[in-house]
């Protein structure tokens, strides 16, 4: 995803819609029309209002409703994301993240 996307993304919760915070863990530069554009590969998106976190995995922001994140393939991918970046993800998200953290069972 492009960094400017953060300017238009808001929390997808209908009762929230807050602006979001981005913490980039992995990115690369792309030359486009003689400009260098940053492509974000892996990042943590957090919502300061409702406290949710959302991952950017392989360039794609995963901003699904809680019930679609709790099990199956999506949960495994998001768990793998938490595991992959656990040295950099804030401890309170790993422990008590909304809708889940690294330690909670699927
Ligand atoms: Zn929110």
């Amino acid at each position: 995803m492009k960094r400017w996307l953060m300017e238009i993304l808001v929390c997808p919760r209908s009762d929230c819609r807050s602006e979001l915070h981005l913490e980039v863990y992995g990115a690369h530069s792309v030359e486009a029309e003689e400009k260098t554009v940053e492509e974000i590969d892996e990042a943590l998106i957090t919502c300061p209002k409702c406290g949710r976190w959302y991952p950017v995995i392989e360039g794609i922001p995963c901003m699904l409703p809680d019930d679609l994140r709790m099990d199956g393939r999506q949960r495994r991918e998001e768990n793998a994301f938490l595991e992959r970046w656990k040295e950099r993800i804030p401890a309170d998200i790993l422990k008590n993240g909304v809708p889940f953290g690294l330690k909670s069972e699927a």
Side-chain angles (χ1 to χ4, degrees), residues 38-101:
E38 186 185 24
E39 276 284 349
I40 296 166
D41 301 310
E42 299 264 319
L44 179 71
I45 296 170
T46 50
C47 177
K49 192 172 160 194
C50 72
R52 277 181 177 69
W53 64 273
Y54 304 95
V56 177
I57 300 174
E58 294 178 9
I60 299 166
C62 306
M63 304 181 70
L64 295 167
D66 290 357
D67 58 338
L68 297 180
R69 302 175 64 183
M70 295 313 287
D71 45 36
R73 192 175 138 227
Q74 191 62 33
R75 176 62 178 267
R76 285 197 298 279
E77 285 189 3
E78 295 195 22
N79 258 336
F81 171 87
L82 292 177
E83 186 66 44
R84 189 153 67 244
W85 299 106
K86 65 184 174 189
E87 307 298 330
R88 299 180 66 180
I89 292 171
D92 57 331
I93 290 180
L94 294 176
K95 216 174 151 200
N96 299 310
V98 183
F100 58 83

Side-chain angles (χ1 to χ4, degrees), residues 11-19 47-52:
C11 184
R13 300 260 316 172
S14 59
D15 58 352
C16 184
R17 301 284 188 220
S18 171
E19 287 181 19
C47 177
K49 192 172 160 194
C50 72
R52 277 181 177 69

